[in-house]
């Protein structure tokens, strides 16, 4: 493992075997948490799997009530969205695995 003590500037794309990003599109059922599966992921490493998800929205807290991830594994996860209407929503998902 290489440790960099200081700043690292990457001017191009960042890729690593333990990082995965995708955008999923969900058409939620109004007023009910709706789930979509993220599959086909291959995260390298042996540590814990972590994930974050965020909706692409201009109405957080009013129409988009919550976005969450669950059932994390090195091969995918579940992404949940709770909206008050059925507007199709893109959700960015970032997954990584500790070394």
């Amino acid at each position: 493992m290489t440790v960099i003590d200081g700043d690292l500037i990457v001017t191009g794309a960042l890729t690593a075997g333990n990082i995965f990003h995708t955008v999923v599109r969900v058409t939620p059922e109004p007023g009910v948490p709706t789930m979509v599966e993220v599959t086909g992921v291959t995260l390298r490493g042996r540590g814990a799997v972590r994930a974050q998800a965020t909706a692409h929205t201009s109405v957080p807290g009013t129409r988009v009530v919550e976005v969450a991830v669950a059932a994390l594994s090195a091969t995918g996860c579940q992404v949940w969205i709770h909206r008050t209407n059925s507007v199709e929503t893109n959700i960015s998902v970032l997954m990584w695995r500790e070394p």
Side-chain angles (χ1 to χ4, degrees), residues 47-96:
V49 176
R50 312 282 188 216
Q52 293 179 331
T54 188
H56 301 197
T57 181
S58 60
V59 288
T62 54
R63 298 281 188 243
V64 177
V65 178
E66 183 178 8
V67 174
V69 292
L72 299 174
S73 77
T75 60
C77 68
Q78 296 174 347
V79 178
W80 290 84
I81 184 168
H82 183 182
R83 266 192 90 108
T84 60
N85 59 20
S86 61
V87 172
E88 193 171 57
T89 307
N90 287 333
I91 301 172
S92 286
V93 181
L94 176 64
M95 297 179 68
W96 66 97

Side-chain angles (χ1 to χ4, degrees), residues 3-81:
V3 176
I4 298 171
D5 186 19
D7 295 341
L8 175 65
I9 298 171
V10 177
T11 58
L14 174 64
T15 59
N18 67 329
I19 299 173
F20 175 81
H21 175 265
T22 192
V23 176
V24 295
R25 183 171 279 248
V26 183
T27 303
E29 185 176 335
V32 176
T34 305
M35 187 268 293
V36 62
E37 293 272 353
V38 175
T39 60
V41 179
T42 307
L43 291 176
R44 293 174 50 193
R46 292 187 298 267
V49 176
R50 312 282 188 216
Q52 293 179 331
T54 188
H56 301 197
T57 181
S58 60
V59 288
T62 54
R63 298 281 188 243
V64 177
V65 178
E66 183 178 8
V67 174
V69 292
L72 299 174
S73 77
T75 60
C77 68
Q78 296 174 347
V79 178
W80 290 84
I81 184 168

